[in-house]
Amino acid sequence: MTTEQIARPSSFNVSTPWLGVACLSLMTFVLIASEFMPVSLLTPIAADLGITEGQAGQAIAVSGLFAVVTSLFGNALLSRWDRRAAVILYTMVLIVSGIAVTFAPNYLIFMAGRALVGVSIGGFWSLSTAIVARMTSGADLPKALAMLQGGTALASVIAAPLGSFLGGLIGWRGAFFIVVPIGLAGIVWQLLVLPKLPPTHDVSVGTMFALLGNRVFAIGMAATTLAFMGQFAASTYFRPYLEGATGLDVNGLSLVLLGLGLAGLAGTTASGFVLRKHLRAMLIVLPTALAVLSLTLIAFGSIPVAVAALMVLWGFFSNPIPVGWGTWMTRIIPHDLEAGGGLQVALIQFAITAGAFGGGLLFDTSGWRGPFILCAVLLAIAASLAFLATHPGKAERS
């Protein structure tokens, strides 16, 4: 690691990059929790703003849309900024979004605040892999990326119940305001532990899409997209599946979803160690396992104990996927991680939306089995593409 790659802040001597990675992991936790907190607060939001619950639910869609736009264009606009300054800027945007949502007098301001959440998500995530790669050595990179994704896994466990709890305790506006003091504390932590990271390359939309000229990279991005699309085609509809097909009550549903989230956190943690030596195998095994689990959930949908066990396995195998593809990208395009990261985030956000939309259409037209079949097909294709992406010789001959 050269002095050009990383320069420590003069005001604070950091002896380990892990404090910086932990700081970024906190940011991922706050971002993901903020993105999905409306799920458990739709009813009070709708009642307070005088809108329907469907309109309130668009708060998640609008944040996803702006995340895509920012991941493609944000870093090009900030191409000459120090990357630490860019992270601080995106944290400030998150704080402003929290203030806007908290004090929103109407639906328009509420949605504007949610759009700013998307800006922060898209901008931060498109930079995060490149920043972590510059702060850690090659051998520690998988572990560092797993630590980064640990914030996501933790948020997926507690975002909905935390939102519901805070909403009942201090109201939905108070729940969203929590991001403001956490964001302010985060900025202080960032100033203390993140090194100065001067930009290394100019990034533009053209630069991002030019990477697709690399056949192996293009196949990997296709595999990543289909993996996320397949996951969300099914996982978006886990609750109606568990209530309708499995017949769980509210308490049973909560326990199963908690197990799913905790298993995801465990899988993310374990992936940091496994991916060091078994990256190729894991990128193929993970979507393959999920495809099998998707079909198995259909077969055993009426047996609560079996479904609970399968859900735990789903969490364990699904959460390491972004860690795996992030690690793979650092090896395929080590000098273009910001451009690659921006493109990857845009594709993942698109995949989540498309998967949920496609699964929803099948759920409404063919019942709960439809999304799971679609999931299995997409994940099987993703596994095949992962094989090609991790065996470049075969990819070139395909």
Side-chain angles (χ1 to χ4, degrees), residues 270-295:
S271 69
F273 301 95
V274 177
L275 288 172
R276 290 182 180 181
K277 296 183 178 180
H278 305 288
L279 177 61
R280 287 184 175 184
M282 292 303 294
L283 289 177
I284 300 168
V285 168
L286 292 174
T288 301
L290 290 178
V292 172
L293 286 171
S294 183
L295 296 177

Side-chain angles (χ1 to χ4, degrees), residues 164-178:
S164 180
F165 172 75
L166 291 175
L169 187 66
I170 56 179
W172 72 268
R173 293 180 185 271
F176 280 104
F177 187 76
I178 293 294

